[in-house]
Structure formats: structure tokens, C-alpha cells
Amino acid sequence: NDNKQVSLMAGQTLQTPAEIGNILLTARDGRTYEEIKKSLIEALVMNAKEEGKNTRTDNTWIGRRLDGLARFGVAHIKPATWMRIFDGGQDGGAWWNTITRPANERASFESDRRAKATEALMKALGPVLKNVEFMDKVGKGVFFPALNTSLNWEERFAILCNYGNESNLQRLMGGGIAGVTKTLSVGQIQAVLKTMSAAEFNAAQAIWDHFESYRPEIASKELRVNGVEPEWIAARPFTIKSADGVTMVMRGGYFPVKFDPKTSLKAEQHASSEDAKNAMKAAYSVATTQRSFTKARVEEVHGRPLLLNLNGLYSGVNDVIHDLAWHEWVIDMNRLMRSTSVDEAIRDHYGANVKRELTKWRDDIVAGTRKLDHGIENAVGWARKFASASALTFNVVSALMQPLGVTQSFARVGTKWVASGIAQYIASPVDSTTMVQGKSTFMANRTRTMWRDVNELRNRIGGQTTGRELMGRYGYFLTMHLQMMVDVPTWIGAYEKAIHGNSNESTAIALADQAVKDSQGGGEEVDQSGITRGGPMVKLFTAFYDFMNTQANLLYLGAKTKDKGKAFMDFVMIGVATPILGAMLRDALISGDSGDWDDWDKAIKRMITEGMTNLIGMVAFGREFSQAAKALIGEDKGMGYSGPAGLRLIPDAYKLMQQIHQGQVDDGFRKAFITSLGDVSGIPAVQINRTINGIQALSDGKTSNPMAVVTGYQSPH
């Protein structure tokens, strides 16, 4: 269908366009699938340090426990690390070029398009949202006698969005409004629409047009993969007079259908069916992305009310972008993971657990934002989110600690190259950053992907307060921009190293992106290890763990690909020197005296504690035992274990109740109250308490350092 000829070897048959394989269509050097597969196996076998692993399930008591421990360990290693290990630690190897590099490109594409989608939708809805009263967003809204019920702004606007094509309109009319009416007439719907302004109608049309803008890309991709263009939902033009007297001539357009899962068994089954299908597909290694927007709809649906909010907008845009980003990559990954020879090579040299992790990585990417959720998981996810925000937003000390990560760049890229990048950055930080972000989409999105996505729009529509919006938008501004003081020199050093090694421009850029991800970590799904991609319950124990996981991966990579001397130096620099330097820097930043560096005995004990805690913390759940380790050497300072990082609200609530029971409004009560408030609201509690401590220390004459206002104050233990 693209007028390209495909040569077949004797005995081969061409069944569908997908059988050609996207690897053949996108291979950078024109090789066939068999040639690519052969190069992967050869690279893995050549670089593996052992072979002939026993893949038989051990049914002894000890064997089962050891296998469980091995699976736990393997889950700590990121897929990109495994690919680099398969390549022998070399830049631009076969595994990186075939799997990791395309995955990075797809992730950058997705992040970039989600940012642009948010910008476009905010431009459409922003003028409307600023005029919607807060209670109309979160309350019952306007009463409609024709319906005998009230509808808030989001419900009214959802009705309008579903009015743009015959398919959605039929479902809206045939489903009615749950608990009010089983059907809706056009007259009843128009009674709602006539209360809406011209700006709201224009916003709806902008949303329909936004979905329409994806059609050429969807059509092109579906033709490449399936050989046919999807059947499109036709727009439904209509004319109506707005509440402010403007005659609106509307083109209409597509909007995702989303049924209310609480209203009936059928609606609930429809809401979960795609997740179940994906789970089944994953089990048989034919996982694929969500594409409800390409499926033809049956003529009529009755008795299943639509969900009258804009979840269809959020999930619909995310689904389209996610599919455009990953569908073809998943086809490639499916073929490789189903290959008997590739499977045998991985199992024979690295074991079944590694193969399982790579398959799970693919499945998690397929699921994207559509992971199965349950009430308890939603609750713990909420607790973890606010615990992280409370601890890290506007945290000046944490931000100032970011440059220490350069030691990891030295280990990953090389001291010589990173030093060159640092020199260029110091000479011209703005020009260096502009140059890097101009070359790399990944680096251009580095400081904004954490918050700048469609979820930001969800919060605005859902009635998010101005204060919380500001925290979400700017709370990590200082941290991310100080992190760029490491990321940019690392990228420049890796880029120059690649160019010096005769890589072309595009490959050098891709290798530099990878170096930043490997040394400093990445927040996208593609960059995460199995343990950090775990469900909400697991993430309670891995909050604030990404940095430690990145360190663990660097050390494991060095142990697998470097000689013992270099691997040991990495261990000393990353595992021992960096946490000690971090402790020194932190105490230097915070006014006052911790008392830990007053003499050699105290200093050595503190250094041992920091190094030991850092090494234990590299293992997920290891942090939970760090206080026990400190107690062993007498350094726990009476703090005790306070539970997983993601559930800080429980011990913090306990401390608050203790303070309330004492009946005194003192510093202890203030700290406990602000901390607990942060746990349930996400306010920057750590920084607020630190600032109050600093102001008090200045007023009491304990310090004359004005930086205490932002870095706080500490007294000897």
C-alpha cells in the first residue's frame, strides 16, 4: 500500500501487511527481520559471561525461595540496562538499536504530543473555564425543569460534546440520565444546550476538531499495519442559538463514547472489557494498544447511560496518542518475544526471570494509563501522591542537592567527556541548554513532562484550586532546573563521545539521551524497572526510590560489563562517596550545627551510617530496614521505624494526636499539624516547617545566616 516492493525468500508467504513486520519497514540499515534477529542473538551470546542456565523449575523448598529472591532482584533492573548488558556495555549495540532506541523515540513522541494536546485543549477550554463559577464545577449546578434534575458545568458540557455525531447522540438519547430518565429527547437535550454560551460551543467544536486532526496519522498507521483505513464516525452538523444570542453553525465531530459503569452491569462490563482483552492478549504475547477510536460502532445502544463528565476527553486523547506512539513498536516487540531462538538465548544465558521482565515491560507499556484499578489501590495512590508532593514541592534543600548526581554521569559516560560538558555549560549555560533542547525532543521535554499532560486539564475542569494548580505547575521548578545543571553537561559529554566514535548525528543524539536516562533516571514508563512500575501497593514502599534504583542499575551494569577494577571504582564513587558528600552538603546548606562533624569519631560514624543506609536503600523495601541498621551501630537517634514512605500520613497523624492530647500549641504541635495537613492536601509541608524553623532561629539569635529562611535550621542531636 506504500508502493514499495518486498522481496520474499523461497518458501516465504506474505499473509497481511503486519506479516512484513515493522522491523523490516523501519530498520535503519535495511536488514531483514531474520538478519536483525541473528545479530541480536550473536551479540547476546558473545557478551554473556555464562551460559547453560538451568531453566527447569526447582520444586525444593530452598529452590523455590531462591527463585523468588532472584525474581525480586531481576525486577530492580531496568529494561534499558538489560539491553546494554546484552550489548556488552557498548554504545549503539544491536539490542539498544533494535529495541531501546525505538522505545525511547516512541516515549519522547508520546510526551511531546501529550504536551501539545494539553496546550491545544487548554487554549480551547481556558477562556471558558475562567468564567465558570467554582461551585458550578464541583456542585450540582443548574436545575432543568424539562429534566427534573440539576446538571453542573462538566455534565452540561459533556452533553454538548456528545451532540456532534449521530452515534453519540443516539447513545445519549437511548441511555438517558441515570436515576432521572431512561431516555432523552432532542428537545430535552437542546434545553440544556440553549443555556450554553457561544464560547462554550466554540470550545466543543475545537475539541471535535482536535480529534479530527489525528485522522491522517491514524489512517496512515492503520494502512501500514492492517492494510485498510478505519471506518470513521461522521460529523453531525447542526445550528443552534447560544444563551448569549449568537447563531452557532456547528460542524460537529467525533467524541469518545464512555458509558457510566455504575449504572448497569452492561455498562460496567463495557468499561472493563478492553482491559480484560489486553490482559488476555498479553498472556499470549500478542498484546496491542487500545484503539476504540478505530472500531465501527453498532447501530443503536439502549439502556446504558453515558458518563456525563469529560473522562472520555482525557482517556480518548491519551488513547489516540498512546496508540500512535506504541502500536508498531509493540508489533516489533511481540515478534521478538515470540521468537523461539531469541527466547532460548535469553533463557540460556540470563534465565527465565529476565525474559519475564522484558515481556512484562512490554505489557506495561501497552497498558499505559489504562491499568486495572480498585478502591484500595486508588486510596493508597492518593496517599502516596500527596506524601510526595508534601515532601518535595518547593523543597529548596532537595533542589540544591541535585548537582551531586554528576558522579553517576562520570561512571556512565566517563569523567573526561562529562568534564568537557561541564566546561561548556559553565562557559555558557543558557546557550548550552538551548542547543541541547534544540537537538533532543527528550531533553526539550525533560523539565515539563512531570506535570504538563492531559491530567493538568482534568484538574482544571474538576475544580482544582488556584493554589494547588500553582503547586503542581511550579512546585518542582527549582528542582528540575537544577537537575538540568547535571543533565545538560551529561548530554553534551555523551554526544561528543558518540561523535568522536564516528556515530552519525541522529545516533549521537539518541545515545546522549540514553546516557542521561541511565545516569540520572527518567520518569516515563519506558525508563522504569519492574519494581518501580509496580501497582499502587508496591509504590507505597518505593516512593522517593527512583534515584536509588538508578544507582543500583549503574552498579549492576558496571559489575556485568566492566572489569573488576572499574566496577569497584563505580561502587566507591556511587555507593559510598556520593551519599557521604550528600550528607556534608546537606548539613552545610542548613544553618546551625548537626553535631555530627565535631570530631573524627562522630564524622566516621556518620560516614559509615550514610554509606550503609545508601547501599541498603538501593534495594526496594531495604529502606524499611535502614533504621534497624542504624540502631545496630547506635545511630538511629531514637527515631524508630515510621512505616513506608508512601503512608507517612499514618505515623504523622499519630504524632499530631499526641500533640493534641498534650494540649499545648508549641513547635511540636505546629510541625505535626503542618506535616499532617501536607499528607492529606499536598501542601509543601517540609519546606513550610523548614522556613518557620529558620525564621525562629533568626529571631532568637541562633543564627545570622539569612539563608535559614529557605534552608531551615538544625541543632546538634
Side-chain angles (χ1 to χ4, degrees):
N1 54 52
D2 55 6
N3 297 320
K4 291 183 179 179
Q5 293 182 348
V6 178
S7 299
L8 299 179
M9 301 292 289
Q12 286 184 309
T13 58
L14 183 62
Q15 297 176 350
T16 69
E19 289 294 320
I20 301 173
N22 289 74
I23 289 178
L24 299 185
L25 296 178
T26 61
R28 292 175 173 81
D29 53 9
R31 292 176 300 165
T32 66
Y33 168 69
E34 291 299 327
E35 289 171 335
I36 292 173
K37 186 171 64 172
K38 181 181 178 182
S39 71
L40 294 177
I41 296 171
E42 288 177 347
L44 185 149
V45 173
M46 180 178 67
N47 294 309
K49 294 185 177 180
E50 57 182 304
E51 62 180 337
K53 282 187 172 290
N54 183 6
T55 56
R56 176 186 173 187
T57 299
D58 193 330
N59 293 307
T60 65
W61 185 89
I62 294 178
R64 289 174 178 171
R65 271 63 190 173
L66 290 176
D67 182 63
L69 186 63
R71 291 181 64 177
F72 176 70
V74 166
H76 286 71
I77 308 304
K78 302 177 183 182
T81 300
W82 284 120
M83 303 304 168
R84 191 168 177 83
I85 290 171
F86 295 169
D87 285 330
Q90 301 301 309
D91 288 335
W95 285 86
W96 175 82
N97 203 51
T98 301
I99 297 178
T100 310
R101 179 179 179 177
N104 289 341
E105 291 171 352
R106 296 294 82 207
S108 292
F109 171 90
E110 183 172 28
S111 295
D112 188 58
R113 293 300 295 273
R114 287 178 68 179
K116 289 177 179 176
T118 300
E119 186 176 334
L121 294 174
M122 288 298 291
K123 182 179 179 181
L125 285 167
V128 173
L129 290 173
K130 70 180 181 180
N131 294 321
V132 179
E133 295 181 1
F134 179 76
M135 289 309 298
D136 197 14
K137 288 183 183 179
V138 301
K140 291 185 177 181
V142 178
F143 180 77
F144 290 91
L147 297 172
N148 195 32
T149 191
S150 297
L151 299 171
N152 64 21
W153 180 84
E154 188 174 2
E155 291 171 322
R156 300 194 303 271
F157 194 74
I159 289 175
L160 171 57
C161 288
N162 282 287
Y163 198 72
N165 64 76
E166 294 291 351
S167 177
N168 286 61
L169 178 59
Q170 186 281 314
R171 284 151 179 75
L172 182 62
M173 296 172 64
I177 298 177
V180 178
T181 177
K182 293 184 178 180
T183 60
L184 284 172
S185 66
V186 172
Q188 287 174 310
I189 295 173
Q190 288 190 349
V192 176
L193 301 186
K194 288 177 181 178
T195 66
M196 311 196 78
S197 67
E200 289 169 316
F201 281 107
N202 287 331
Q205 187 62 62
I207 289 172
W208 294 326
D209 292 345
H210 183 77
F211 278 109
E212 179 70 19
S213 71
Y214 295 108
R215 182 181 290 196
E217 290 177 278
I218 295 170
S220 178
K221 188 264 296 177
E222 288 294 310
L223 281 169
R224 289 195 304 272
V225 173
N226 297 315
V228 293
E229 187 172 329
E231 180 179 341
W232 304 106
I233 302 295
R236 176 183 178 275
F238 64 95
T239 301
I240 192 170
K241 181 169 286 188
S242 68
D244 44 358
V246 180
T247 300
M248 306 300 300
V249 181
M250 309 296 292
R251 296 185 301 277
Y254 170 83
F255 191 77
V257 165
K258 197 171 184 69
F259 296 105
D260 190 338
K262 291 186 177 182
T263 58
S264 69
L265 176 62
K266 285 186 177 181
E268 185 176 7
Q269 289 172 335
H270 183 274
S272 61
S273 62
E274 290 298 331
D275 293 315
K277 288 176 184 177
N278 281 337
M280 288 296 292
K281 290 174 183 176
Y284 289 97
S285 297
V286 291
T288 187
T289 48
Q290 172 81 7
R291 283 187 308 285
S292 59
F293 51 86
T294 68
K295 298 175 183 177
R297 296 175 182 171
V298 295
E299 287 300 318
E300 292 188 1
V301 176
H302 297 275
R304 287 155 60 183
L306 295 183
L307 190 63
L308 293 184
N309 60 35
L310 296 185
N311 282 340
L313 173 60
Y314 321 132
S315 61
V317 171
N318 280 327
D319 283 348
V320 171
I321 294 173
H322 189 68
D323 177 66
L324 288 173
W326 293 106
H327 187 189
E328 292 169 285
W329 180 89
V330 169
I331 291 174
D332 289 349
M333 194 64 173
N334 284 341
R335 294 192 72 190
L336 290 173
M337 291 299 99
R338 290 202 308 266
S339 166
T340 302
S341 54
V342 171
D343 177 81
E344 289 177 349
I346 297 174
R347 290 176 188 270
D348 188 48
H349 293 85
Y350 293 95
N353 291 327
V354 174
K355 173 63 187 304
R356 183 184 294 112
E357 280 300 313
L358 296 181
T359 303
K360 185 176 182 294
W361 175 54
R362 177 209 62 194
D363 295 342
D364 286 344
I365 286 175
V366 166
T369 58
R370 285 180 167 269
K371 294 181 179 177
L372 296 174
D373 62 341
H374 303 282
I376 184 65
E377 293 180 338
N378 289 334
V380 298
W382 170 84
R384 178 178 57 84
K385 177 183 70 173
F386 284 135
S388 298
S390 174
L392 297 178
T393 50
F394 299 106
N395 190 324
V396 177
V397 172
S398 175
L400 293 173
M401 299 284 286
Q402 298 306 306
L404 271 179
V406 74
T407 58
Q408 296 167 198
S409 298
F410 290 149
R412 171 60 175 81
V413 180
T415 304
K416 165 187 165 184
W417 299 107
V418 177
S420 174
I422 292 173
Q424 292 184 47
Y425 183 82
I426 291 175
S428 182
V430 175
D431 289 345
S432 296
T433 302
T434 301
M435 181 273 291
V436 168
Q437 292 181 336
K439 287 179 177 288
S440 168
T441 301
F442 163 72
M443 290 296 287
N445 284 321
R446 181 75 165 161
T447 61
R448 67 187 185 186
T449 50
M450 181 175 295
W451 292 108
R452 191 179 176 189
D453 59 26
V454 178
N455 288 324
E456 181 181 336
L457 178 63
R458 182 198 304 264
N459 292 334
R460 285 282 299 276
I461 292 173
Q464 179 172 263
T465 62
T466 302
R468 182 168 294 171
E469 182 184 347
L470 290 174
M471 284 191 288
R473 188 184 292 269
Y474 301 111
Y476 297 95
F477 180 87
L478 181 61
T479 298
M480 294 301 296
H481 280 77
L482 285 174
Q483 177 63 44
M484 290 296 283
M485 294 174 61
V486 177
D487 292 350
V488 171
T490 300
W491 194 97
I492 293 173
Y495 172 81
E496 291 187 341
K497 181 180 180 181
I499 292 294
H500 185 78
N502 296 320
S503 294
N504 59 37
E505 176 75 0
S506 63
T507 299
I509 291 170
L511 287 171
D513 289 348
Q514 189 64 57
V516 174
K517 288 170 177 272
D518 289 347
S519 61
Q520 304 304 316
E524 295 165 320
E525 191 95 8
V526 69
D527 303 319
Q528 302 291 303
S529 65
I531 203 77
T532 55
R533 295 193 317 272
M537 297 298 290
V538 174
K539 287 181 178 178
L540 285 177
F541 291 87
T542 56
F544 317 113
Y545 172 66
D546 286 350
F547 177 77
M548 309 300 294
N549 186 238
T550 298
Q551 286 189 326
N553 273 260
L554 283 171
L555 294 183
Y556 187 78
L557 176 64
K560 285 288 189 178
T561 60
K562 297 181 179 180
D563 60 51
K564 293 181 179 179
K566 291 181 179 179
F568 179 74
M569 290 304 298
D570 287 353
F571 174 81
V572 172
M573 181 164 57
I574 296 173
V576 180
T578 298
I580 292 174
L581 289 172
M584 291 179 174
L585 176 60
R586 184 180 183 281
D587 283 350
L589 290 171
I590 301 176
S591 300
D593 183 8
S594 67
D596 290 339
W597 311 98
D598 294 344
D599 55 55
W600 277 106
D601 287 342
K602 290 183 178 179
I604 290 174
K605 183 175 284 190
R606 176 69 183 276
M607 287 189 283
I608 292 173
T609 300
E610 294 296 334
M612 177 185 63
T613 302
N614 189 68
L615 292 173
I616 293 174
M618 288 185 193
V619 180
F621 310 104
R623 178 175 46 196
E624 313 310 310
F625 295 93
S626 61
Q627 287 302 127
K630 289 180 181 179
L632 183 64
I633 60 174
E635 282 293 298
D636 68 330
K637 304 185 184 350
M639 295 177 65
Y641 175 61
S642 58
L647 280 182
R648 286 182 172 179
L649 77 163
I650 295 176
D652 289 344
Y654 171 71
K655 292 176 184 177
L656 178 60
M657 294 304 105
Q658 284 184 315
Q659 292 295 324
I660 292 174
H661 179 72
Q662 290 176 7
Q664 295 181 354
V665 182
D666 53 12
D667 277 350
F669 173 81
R670 180 261 301 173
K671 291 177 183 178
F673 176 77
I674 292 175
T675 300
S676 296
L677 185 60
D679 291 337
V680 298
S681 69
I683 66 167
V686 169
Q687 185 57 49
I688 291 172
N689 275 325
R690 189 174 283 155
T691 295
I692 294 174
N693 290 342
I695 292 173
Q696 287 181 340
L698 283 168
S699 63
D700 293 343
K702 295 179 180 179
T703 181
S704 59
N705 184 358
M707 284 297 292
V709 174
V710 292
T711 61
Y713 177 82
Q714 59 183 336
S715 301
H717 299 299

